[in-house]
Amino acid sequence: MQYDVIIIGGAMSGATLALALSRVANKKVAVVEAFSESPQHPGFDARAIALSLGSIELLRRYKLWDALANDATPIDTIDVSDRGHFAQTGFSAEQQNQSLLGAVVELATVGAAYREQLRLDSNIDVFCPDSIVDIEQHQQHIDAILQSGTRLSAQLMVAADGANSKVAELIKNPKSLDDFEQHALIANIELEKPHHNKAYERFTSHGPIALLPMTGKRMSLVWCMKQPMLQQALAWNNETFLAELQQEFGWRLGRFDKVGTLASYPLQLHKRERLIHHRIAFVGNAAQTLHPIAGQGFNLGIRDVASLVDVLSCHRDCGDYQCLAQFRDAREADREATCDMTSALVRIFSNEWLPMVVARNLGLALFDIAPPLQGPVKNRSLGLV
C-alpha cells in the first residue's frame, strides 16, 4: 500500500497532521491508530485542553475549527496569582485587541469530530485498531509493518504516538527526562456561579492549580502536587476534596459544588534527542512532553504539525533529507524556548525559599506595569510565535 506519508498515532497531533496534509498539500496519508473509539482512549479521553489563539488560527487554516467551535468554550481573560502573596497578574482579550485569548475543548468531543473528518477524507486511510511492530528504512522509501500483518510503504513516516513512542523505540531514538517530582490530578468541577469565560493559574505551596472554563458552569481542573498529597487526595470523598480545593484556590470563583471522576499522571519533561531520522519525523508528545503549567503542550505540538505541513507542501519527496532538515531547523528555536519557559516556571513557582518567593512576586507585580516584559510572554501564551 503506497502513501506519501504514514502517521503513527491518530490522536490530536496525528489526526490534525493527516487532515492538514490532505487539505493543504494534497498528500495521500495512512494513519495507524492502536485504540478504537472509547472513553478510555488515551488521546481522546475525558480531559479538556486549552487551545491558544495561534492554534485556533492554524485549525481555521486547515478547515478544522468549524467542526470544534460549537462545543468550544472561549477564554476571555487569564488570571495568574500566587497563593498567600500580594502579587497577581493577567490579561484579557479586550486588552490584546482580540476576540478571545483561546478556547477550551473536551478531548472526547474533539475525537468524535476528528474521526468523522478522517472517515470522509478520500486522501486518508485509517488502520484502527492496529499498531506498528517493525520499520524498514530504504533509500527512497520507508515501510511500516503492522500488528495485523499489513505492510504500508511511504516516502515519510511521522511519529505522533506519544511520549512512549513505539517508533522511537524501534529506531532507538532516546529521550532526555526531567522529573518535576509532581503529579497532575485531573477532574471536572461544577461551580455554584458562572465562570464568565475566565481561566485561572494559581500557584500554591503544593504546586500550580489551573482551572479552565468549560460549557455551563463547569471548569477543567489540573491540580499539581507531590506524591504523598496525591495519595491523600485520591482517598478523599467528594466533600473533603472540594473543601481542600476551595482552601487552596480561594473564593474568587465562588463555591465549588461538584467534582467528577479523578485521574492522575506524573509530570515530567520528555524530549527526543532527534526530531528527524532517515525518512522519519517526530511531532507533538512524541517529540516532547511538557509540564501542563501555562498550557503549552498541545499548542507546541500543533506548531510542530504546522511547520511540517508547510515544509512538505514545498517538496515532492516528503522524506528527503533536505526537507526533514528544514523541518528540524524550523522547530528548534520555538521548541527550546517553550520547553525552557515551562520548566523555569515550575522551578520558580514550586520553590518556597523566601528570596525566591519575594523575587517571583516582584516579577508578577512588574509584569503588569512593564509592557516590554509582557510582549514575549503573552505572545508565547497566545501561540503567536
Side-chain angles (χ1 to χ4, degrees):
M1 295 184 181
Q2 298 288 330
Y3 296 91
D4 295 309
V5 181
I6 300 166
I7 300 172
I8 308 300
M12 276 200 77
S13 290
T16 302
L17 177 61
L19 291 161
L21 285 175
S22 171
R23 294 171 181 189
V24 175
N26 195 32
K27 302 295 185 184
K28 181 72 175 171
V29 182
V31 177
V32 180
E33 171 53 49
F35 296 91
S36 299
E37 179 179 351
S38 91
Q40 284 72 47
H41 190 298
F44 293 125
D45 56 21
R47 290 170 296 160
I49 60 168
L51 298 175
S52 68
L53 178 61
S55 295
I56 292 170
E57 292 303 323
L58 288 169
L59 293 176
R60 282 196 177 110
R61 184 195 302 178
Y62 305 143
K63 298 180 174 60
L64 287 168
W65 181 242
D66 285 351
L68 309 179
N70 287 341
D71 297 307
T73 304
I75 299 173
D76 294 335
T77 312
I78 296 173
D79 180 282
V80 181
S81 60
D82 194 2
R83 182 179 180 271
H85 303 288
F86 66 90
Q88 68 178 64
T89 189
F91 49 98
S92 68
E94 185 179 6
Q95 290 170 343
Q96 305 303 308
N97 296 315
Q98 302 287 352
S99 59
L100 73 173
L101 297 176
V104 179
V105 294
E106 297 180 57
L107 288 175
T109 303
V110 175
Y114 270 29
R115 277 187 292 273
E116 180 67 7
Q117 299 275 329
L118 291 168
R119 185 183 68 80
L120 294 172
D121 197 308
S122 60
N123 273 339
I124 300 173
D125 291 334
V126 179
F127 298 83
C128 177
D130 213 338
S131 57
I132 191 166
V133 294
D134 203 4
I135 296 169
E136 293 180 5
Q137 292 163 288
H138 305 274
Q139 185 175 355
Q140 300 297 331
H141 68 279
I142 187 166
D143 291 345
I145 295 87
L146 307 187
Q147 181 75 48
S148 62
T150 303
R151 176 184 287 262
L152 308 176
S153 185
Q155 296 173 343
L156 173 69
M157 178 182 294
V158 179
D161 53 343
N164 298 315
S165 169
K166 181 66 174 179
V167 175
E169 178 189 323
L170 288 170
I171 65 169
K172 297 180 171 56
N173 182 11
K175 63 185 177 184
S176 61
L177 190 150
D178 187 359
D179 192 340
F180 298 114
E181 298 180 350
Q182 290 181 340
H183 291 255
L185 186 61
I186 311 296
N188 291 338
I189 304 293
E190 189 167 313
L191 309 176
E192 183 181 42
K193 300 177 180 178
H195 50 60
H196 300 296
N197 299 97
K198 197 168 187 177
Y200 294 84
E201 183 98 50
R202 184 151 172 82
F203 299 103
T204 78
S205 58
H206 298 293
I209 295 175
L211 281 161
L212 303 173
M214 298 170 68
T215 52
K217 295 180 182 178
R218 297 182 303 145
M219 298 201 86
S220 173
L221 168 71
V222 181
W223 189 356
C224 303
M225 58 187 67
K226 293 189 178 296
Q227 177 75 23
M229 185 176 174
L230 175 70
Q231 295 307 315
Q232 292 178 37
L234 291 173
W236 290 334
N237 60 30
N238 288 355
E239 186 178 26
T240 303
F241 183 93
L242 290 170
E244 293 287 341
L245 177 62
Q246 196 90 63
Q247 174 69 24
E248 285 292 294
F249 182 80
W251 292 86
R252 61 190 66 197
L253 271 168
R255 183 180 300 280
F256 298 135
D257 264 359
K258 296 179 183 176
V259 58
T261 304
L262 303 182
S264 68
Y265 60 89
L267 297 176
Q268 300 166 329
L269 169 64
H270 297 258
K271 198 169 166 191
R272 289 291 159 204
E273 290 188 8
R274 301 175 64 182
L275 272 185
I276 63 170
H277 201 271
H278 178 61
R279 294 196 173 271
I280 298 175
F282 289 80
V283 300
N285 284 347
Q288 65 278 313
T289 306
L290 308 185
H291 190 288
I293 195 169
Q296 291 296 303
F298 174 72
N299 295 299
L300 180 60
I302 199 172
R303 296 198 296 272
D304 291 342
V305 167
S307 293
L308 190 57
V309 171
D310 288 347
V311 170
L312 297 189
S313 299
C314 302
H315 288 263
R316 182 174 232 175
D317 182 350
C318 298
D320 175 70
Y321 175 77
Q322 182 182 358
C323 173
L324 295 185
Q326 192 177 338
F327 163 69
R328 177 198 62 204
D329 296 345
R331 296 306 305 137
E332 184 175 2
D334 182 22
R335 184 180 187 232
E336 292 301 318
T338 306
C339 290
D340 289 348
M341 182 189 79
T342 55
S343 296
L345 286 172
V346 175
R347 306 283 185 228
I348 291 168
F349 283 95
S350 298
N351 192 325
E352 291 304 300
W353 184 48
L354 183 58
M356 180 64 76
V357 172
V358 172
R360 75 190 184 213
N361 275 269
L362 285 172
L364 285 176
L366 281 171
F367 187 82
D368 266 350
I369 61 174
L373 294 175
Q374 297 175 9
V377 176
K378 288 182 179 177
N379 286 341
R380 191 158 296 280
S381 298
L382 296 176
L384 303 175
V385 295

